[in-house]
Amino acid sequence: MATVNLLPNANVPTVVNDWSLSTGSDVYALIDDDHTGTVATDSSYLSSTSAGSTCTVELQDFSESHSAINSITLVTKAGNNGRGASFTLETKLTSPSGDYYTESSGSQAAHRNYRTQTYTTRTTHDGSNAWTNALLNSLRVRVDLDAHSGGTTRFTYCYVTVDYDLPVATDNSIFFGTNF
């Protein structure tokens, strides 16, 4: 098995966003890198001070050679360092033709560091049919600030990990010299 992370796509404009941008005008650029410091030291993020903010981005295409797509897993990183504050994200894996899965991060307590939320691993897109290249290449992630008790919630990272099997080698593909 192998994995690859699909980040927000720089080549496709953001579908929807009403979070505040920390800098610039490109949402994907603010949520496509992992910030390992504290919430207060990050300069590349989306932020909101009230529930109801939403952001939807398309992801990079899945272009790996593979024999099967085993599963996908959504990961977000957000935080709020307001004393006594908490927040809840609601995420959706979606496409232009409809939603696949909706899941909550659960209530996240304030902390000086970002909270990484790893959501349920999904082996199918509808409960019975496997993921395909076409489905992954139209995949969008929607992140809503579902609950917010105070301070400023920052959203800094988002990606989908694709777990896949490498192509099966055939006898003709054995490296020359290894079968002597």
Side-chain angles (χ1 to χ4, degrees):
M1 288 193 278
T3 61
V4 65
N5 292 338
L6 304 180
L7 297 168
N9 192 341
N11 299 319
V12 178
T14 301
V15 178
V16 173
N17 179 58
D18 61 11
W19 292 69
S20 296
L21 283 65
S22 63
T23 186
S25 61
D26 296 321
V27 170
Y28 77 88
L30 301 176
I31 60 173
D32 72 346
D33 332 293
D34 189 7
H35 179 73
T36 57
T38 65
V39 173
T41 62
D42 189 8
S43 62
S44 179
Y45 56 85
L46 301 178
S47 66
S48 181
T49 57
S50 62
S53 295
T54 187
C55 176
T56 303
V57 293
E58 289 197 20
L59 299 176
Q60 296 168 329
D61 285 346
F62 177 69
S63 58
E64 307 299 316
S65 295
H66 64 282
S67 61
I69 299 169
N70 301 314
S71 65
I72 68 170
T73 306
L74 173 62
V75 178
T76 62
K77 194 176 224 182
N80 184 328
N81 62 352
R83 186 179 186 114
S86 64
F87 67 94
T88 302
L89 299 180
E90 180 178 276
T91 62
K92 289 184 182 185
L93 291 171
T94 186
S95 76
S97 59
D99 295 343
Y100 297 121
Y101 295 101
T102 301
E103 190 169 1
S104 173
S105 67
S107 182
Q108 303 290 310
H111 195 273
R112 66 186 296 265
N113 295 319
Y114 280 112
R115 304 283 186 169
T116 300
Q117 297 88 26
T118 303
Y119 299 89
T120 303
T121 298
R122 306 293 182 173
T123 56
T124 66
H125 67 91
D126 63 0
S128 60
N129 294 301
W131 292 98
T132 65
N133 275 46
L135 292 170
L136 291 181
N137 292 345
S138 66
L139 194 60
R140 295 176 175 175
V141 174
R142 177 176 167 165
V143 178
D144 298 335
L145 183 56
D146 193 45
H148 176 84
S149 71
T152 300
T153 297
R154 293 181 180 186
F155 167 41
T156 193
Y157 197 34
C158 172
Y159 63 93
V160 168
T161 300
V162 179
D163 179 303
Y164 62 98
D165 290 337
L166 295 171
V168 178
T170 63
D171 288 342
N172 293 337
S173 67
I174 296 175
F175 183 74
F176 179 77
T178 61
N179 57 354
F180 283 86

